[in-house]
Amino acid sequence: MNTILITGSSSGFGLETARYFLDRDWTVIATMRKPRKDVLPASERLRIVALDVTEAASISRALNEAGPIDALVNNAGAGLMGALEGVSMEAMRQLFELNTFGTMAMTQAALPGFRKQGSGVIVNVSSAVTLKPLPLLSAYTASKAAVETFSENLALEVELFGVRVRLVIPGRAPKTSFSATARDRSQNGIPEAYASWAKQVFSATPPQPAEITTADDVAKAVWQAVTDASSPFRILAGADAVKLAAQVA
Ligand SMILES: NC(=O)c1ccc[n+]([C@@H]2O[C@H](COP(=O)([O-])OP(=O)(O)OC[C@H]3O[C@@H](n4cnc5c(N)ncnc54)[C@H](OP(=O)(O)O)[C@@H]3O)[C@@H](O)[C@H]2O)c1
């Protein structure tokens, strides 16, 4: 029996990934800051476990409760938009605590188990914003670029224990809670000195491309990362991510 632990399973990509693996006979440990039993179908193979990836005590409690796992998906994360001058250091630190240090802390805590069993897969969810520089997204992009380089280096030091690391790189997914959460965190991200330029940036932005990423695209990419040992290190999720990667190649 295969067991996967997914962070941020209350909504969006994490929720869909939990559903996808449940449908394919995996045991799923769906972790959430505020555990909810009503978002996933009841199953003997489903366990809902409380986890805040920014708190060390919560991480060790969750992993103890989970027991041995075969795969860890570091999906929990949030966005932040604004000019660097418009985003507080506190907001940026909180973002890195979640997107970057949360991923590193979960990975560090799961590794002893993987190492002892001589196997395991770590899937880190990044973002297609790392493929091409964009204005007003410097903090968010930096938090995900750090996850990518961290993952690349980590892969080299854990492969000797039979542990694989993969990146899933989704494009823009407007149907998850991501944009609303990013708006709340960003608050007044565009100071007066940037206002007219930011207006031009937004009006020069072509209409949103028809291609988008869905939660199902991400669940499928995570499935490939976990179940296919020959999968590439970077797995793009969503037609827009695939198109952008081809444009910048
Ligand atoms: N949507 C996009 O356009 C997009 C594109 C590329 C990459 N991504 C990345 O994909 C991942 C999932 O995003 P999504 O679109 O599915 O957004 P989402 O629906 O907002 O999901 C984010 C998840 O992270 C959880 N979370 C937030 N803070 C947490 C914490 N401290 N500890 C544990 N869990 C926490 C949220 O839980 P609560 O319900 O408790 O807040 C929620 O379950 C993120 O890493 C995001 O950066 C998103």
Side-chain angles (χ1 to χ4, degrees):
M1 183 67 73
N2 290 316
T3 302
I4 187 166
L5 186 150
I6 305 162
T7 70
S9 300
S10 64
S11 66
F13 299 164
L15 179 60
E16 191 54 37
T17 302
R19 220 179 262 135
Y20 198 91
F21 277 77
L22 268 179
D23 284 349
R24 283 155 187 79
D25 292 335
W26 276 60
T27 294
V28 173
I29 301 169
T31 69
M32 306 178 190
R33 279 196 293 185
K34 292 184 190 139
R36 286 182 55 183
K37 290 213 159 79
D38 57 331
V39 290
L40 283 160
S43 163
E44 282 180 357
R45 287 179 288 98
L46 171 67
R47 277 150 65 201
I48 311 271
V49 169
L51 171 63
D52 183 328
V53 300
T54 65
E55 287 180 14
S58 175
I59 290 175
S60 68
R61 255 197 318 271
L63 284 172
N64 277 338
E65 201 178 327
I69 57 171
D70 301 293
L72 164 68
V73 182
N74 287 308
N75 160 77
L80 188 65
M81 195 174 189
L84 185 69
E85 283 193 77
V87 181
S88 69
M89 281 310 299
E90 193 194 348
M92 287 193 268
R93 288 203 167 95
Q94 282 173 3
L95 188 78
F96 271 71
E97 281 296 338
L98 170 56
N99 290 0
T100 315
F101 298 131
T103 294
M104 294 168 89
M106 278 302 296
T107 303
Q108 191 181 53
L111 269 173
F114 286 154
R115 197 163 35 73
K116 277 179 207 140
Q117 70 197 21
S119 65
V121 188
I122 298 157
V123 182
N124 293 334
V125 178
S126 180
S127 167
V129 296
T130 59
L131 297 174
K132 182 184 172 186
L134 292 164
L136 305 174
L137 277 174
S138 63
Y140 176 64
T141 305
S143 75
K144 290 296 191 181
V147 167
E148 294 194 11
T149 49
F150 155 72
S151 304
E152 277 171 348
N153 287 274
L154 178 78
L156 301 178
E157 73 191 41
V158 298
E159 68 180 345
L160 79 151
F161 302 112
V163 179
R164 288 195 291 117
V165 182
R166 293 290 185 272
L167 283 171
V168 164
I169 305 182
R172 188 181 67 91
K175 291 193 181 147
T176 72
S177 316
F178 181 79
S179 304
T181 308
R183 262 195 306 277
D184 288 348
R185 284 177 174 256
S186 307
Q187 299 189 342
N188 186 22
I190 304 183
E192 189 48 41
Y194 294 80
S196 63
W197 168 80
K199 225 182 225 169
Q200 284 170 35
V201 170
F202 292 130
S203 60
T205 306
Q208 298 291 7
E211 293 95 354
I212 56 162
T213 297
T214 64
D216 186 55
D217 293 330
V218 176
K220 285 180 175 142
V222 174
W223 177 261
Q224 186 191 359
V226 170
T227 61
D228 178 1
S230 66
S231 56
F233 176 73
R234 285 188 154 71
I235 303 176
L236 298 160
D240 55 337
V242 171
K243 193 172 173 184
L244 181 60
Q247 279 168 3
V248 298

